[in-house]
Amino acid sequence: MKLLVFTDVHGEIGRIKNLAEIARKEDVSALVCAGDLTFFGSNLDNLIKRLDIGLPLIIIPGNHELPNDIKNAAKKFKFVKNLHNSVFELDGCMFIGLGGSKITPFSTPFELDDMEIGKFLGKFGRIAGKGKKIVLVVHEPPLNTMLDRIDSMHVGSRAIREFIGKHEPDFCICGHFHENAGKEEKLGRTTILNPGAEGKVIEI
């Protein structure tokens, strides 16, 4: 199964058009957005409509969308699958999702402390142990990787890293730090990827 994964589009229509074209060209099974499709939640419905190409859009809120924004969009548009704090199965692959970011200095709409992130993720351990392919979709990157490094500091989530270390999903798709778009790293058997707004096709 091929997936087009992307994040941090922030309302840029040109990038959304490019993503739709890539998805058609590459014959993917679904699009997966790791948050921040919008800029501070604006124009969400219109952006989502532009990704209606007859495929599921599996999506979590970033720190720029509220959980209810994505929940309501999934009610309006049947192709939208709200993965926040939830699980979705497609072709034998299990998707686990948690949106939002750690606390930022910018008071963005959806921020969590790391303890809250850990509590949310804790309930998914039993899903990750079922022997199926697992894709973890989060907005915040795991701590102490190339994907959470800003200047000389690592600022990602310890809770997400601990979940990956314990349950070893096949992929972790994340974003949030635009500086690290396109970076990829292995943590044990898990491939951690920030596909950025340009997106990347992966095969499960």
Side-chain angles (χ1 to χ4, degrees):
M1 177 172 64
K2 291 198 296 185
L3 304 169
L4 175 59
V5 296
F6 63 96
T7 186
D8 298 304
V9 171
H10 288 294
E12 294 189 30
I13 299 297
R15 284 181 162 168
I16 288 179
K17 289 180 179 177
N18 288 339
L19 290 165
E21 289 174 9
I22 292 168
R24 292 188 186 99
K25 180 180 177 182
E26 295 290 338
D27 192 27
V28 301
S29 297
L31 296 86
V32 180
C33 178
D36 282 3
L37 182 63
T38 73
F39 183 71
F40 281 88
S42 63
N43 206 25
L44 177 61
D45 285 1
N46 181 50
L47 298 172
I48 284 178
K49 285 177 186 176
R50 291 173 179 271
L51 291 170
D52 185 2
I53 56 171
L55 297 172
L57 171 62
I58 302 167
I59 185 170
I60 60 170
N63 58 305
H64 277 248
E65 297 97 18
L66 291 168
N68 274 344
D69 295 337
I70 303 302
K71 181 179 179 180
N72 291 335
K75 289 179 180 178
K76 291 179 188 176
F77 306 106
K78 296 298 183 184
F79 71 99
V80 175
K81 309 302 177 186
N82 174 23
L83 193 64
H84 172 62
N85 194 27
S86 188
V87 175
F88 176 69
E89 183 171 359
L90 179 67
D91 295 340
C93 179
M94 302 297 294
F95 295 84
I96 297 172
L98 184 68
S101 74
K102 284 175 56 181
I103 306 301
T104 77
F106 309 111
S107 299
T108 52
F110 187 29
E111 301 179 354
L112 303 164
D113 66 40
D114 217 19
M115 187 175 294
E116 290 176 296
I117 292 172
K119 286 180 180 177
F120 279 119
L121 286 177
K123 69 180 181 182
F124 296 122
R126 58 185 174 79
I127 303 294
K130 286 190 173 180
K132 295 186 177 183
K133 294 285 187 180
I134 301 289
V135 178
L136 175 65
V137 184
V138 288
H139 190 60
E140 181 83 22
L143 184 66
N144 289 332
T145 64
M146 291 188 298
L147 287 73
D148 83 312
R149 185 169 181 169
I150 303 298
D151 298 325
S152 61
M153 297 177 62
H154 290 280
V155 292
S157 167
R158 184 177 302 279
I160 292 172
R161 183 176 179 116
E162 288 174 352
F163 182 89
I164 291 169
K166 185 174 182 180
H167 301 291
E168 296 189 314
D170 296 272
F171 280 91
C172 171
I173 310 303
C174 59
H176 191 42
F177 300 119
H178 302 186
E179 302 91 330
N180 297 325
K183 291 185 179 178
E184 185 174 320
E185 185 173 332
K186 277 277 194 180
L187 273 184
R189 63 180 295 273
T190 302
T191 299
I192 304 165
L193 171 65
N194 178 341
E198 301 298 321
K200 183 170 182 176
V201 175
I202 63 172
E203 194 158 354
I204 305 296

